[in-house]
Amino acid sequence: MDESLELEEYGVRGRVIHTPGHSPGCVFVLLKNGDAITGDLIFPSILSGKPSLPFWADDPAEARRSIKKLIDITSGKIYIAHWKPFSSAEVKRSFSSLFEGTNP
């Protein structure tokens, strides 16, 4: 699958980026303002409500790589499918220990 698709010709200032892991065809939309719409790539923790890995992932290692990709290029709000939006800083904090000293 192509890594990204520009959306300007469709009237949306952003691009679609392939982020497999939850399922093979998962994508997120990165808007020009730095916000992202991620769908099921990130879920809220049942206990804390903080950003966490999806409850189910087709490929957990690929989901972690996709979350790392999201963290590296997003600077605004991150809109997930099943909860309120998170700030990119909140998502980075929640996943920082997941990626410290590793190559996701």
Side-chain angles (χ1 to χ4, degrees):
M1 175 181 251
D2 189 356
E3 284 297 308
S4 69
L5 170 69
E6 294 296 329
L7 296 173
E8 298 263 348
E9 69 181 277
Y10 303 104
V12 177
R13 296 189 47 168
R15 61 188 166 130
V16 175
I17 299 172
H18 185 221
T19 50
H22 175 67
S23 65
C26 275
V27 297
F28 76 87
V29 176
L30 178 64
L31 301 173
K32 292 285 184 184
N33 69 358
D35 290 350
I37 303 166
T38 66
D40 289 333
L41 181 61
I42 295 174
F43 271 70
S45 167
I46 290 174
L47 299 175
S48 68
K50 293 181 181 178
S52 65
L53 292 168
F55 296 120
W56 178 86
D58 183 62
D59 183 337
E62 192 69 45
R64 287 189 293 277
R65 285 189 289 275
S66 290
I67 290 168
K68 176 76 165 101
K69 182 189 300 186
L70 171 74
I71 288 170
D72 287 346
I73 63 176
T74 304
S75 61
K77 290 188 183 242
I78 297 175
Y79 295 86
I80 66 173
H82 302 284
W83 192 250
K84 64 179 179 70
F86 294 113
S87 70
S88 60
E90 187 175 10
V91 172
K92 288 174 186 177
R93 275 192 308 275
S94 288
F95 288 101
S96 64
S97 64
L98 185 64
F99 301 120
E100 285 176 358
T102 66
N103 187 9

